[in-house]
Amino acid sequence: MAYHLFKPDSSFLSLIKDYQDSFKRNNETNDGTMRLSEYDNLEAWLAELALFENEAYLLEGFCNSYQYAYGDENMIVGMINIRTNIERSPFLRMYGGHIGYAIRKELRGKGYGKRMLEELLCLASDEFGLKEVMVTCLKGNTASRRLIESVGGKYLDMIYFNPEKDDVLRYIIELSALKK
């Protein structure tokens, strides 16, 4: 299986729907997908993705965001999102960071998340010119914490989120350290 990152578009509607449904079946949120779970009309979701890539259309407090899927022509294994100018968004600067991601429940623990994140980190450096990224996870999400640390994430701090959610752990990944 040669999974890779790709930009979701209308040619992948059935794969996107299948990915979306996999999270609904497991009663899970699919972080890192630009609110995919809120959309019945996937064409509208794709149109919104395009708007977030164009700074001219961004409202105050929003930042550029680029959505990628990870998989092949038969299945989306996960989705990952990079936000390039988080200084525009107080929420992302504090809690969300540059990157959000999710892997299908049945495919977690197989190394796909790490490969997906590594590919995106290369894009962050090579395509978007970022020198470092902040990546966050909930304190109780041990798998995500291990994933971030496995790609070089250095613990920054823990931020209190709210009484209904877990605290947020923040990590910095120096992208120059990934270059060989």
Side-chain angles (χ1 to χ4, degrees), residues 67 83 112 121 126:
Q67 185 67 53
R83 286 90 59 162
Y112 297 128
L121 292 173
D126 298 345

Side-chain angles (χ1 to χ4, degrees), residues 45-109:
W45 177 73
L46 290 169
E48 183 173 282
L49 296 182
L51 291 177
F52 274 90
E53 291 185 5
N54 188 334
E55 193 162 341
Y57 292 107
L58 294 178
L59 299 173
E60 182 73 29
F62 288 84
C63 65
N64 289 102
S65 183
Y66 302 85
Q67 185 67 53
Y68 294 90
Y70 183 76
D72 62 16
E73 65 279 351
N74 298 310
M75 179 177 57
I76 293 175
V77 172
M79 286 200 178
I80 193 164
N81 181 274
I82 183 160
R83 286 90 59 162
T84 57
N85 49 356
I86 65 171
E87 65 279 356
R88 290 179 53 117
S89 170
F91 178 82
L92 291 175
R93 201 172 50 244
M94 181 65 70
Y95 303 106
H98 288 93
I99 297 172
Y101 50 83
I103 297 284
R104 287 174 181 265
K105 184 175 185 171
E106 65 272 17
L107 296 175
R108 293 177 194 153

Side-chain angles (χ1 to χ4, degrees), residues 61 141 162 174:
N141 190 341
N162 72 42
E174 297 286 337

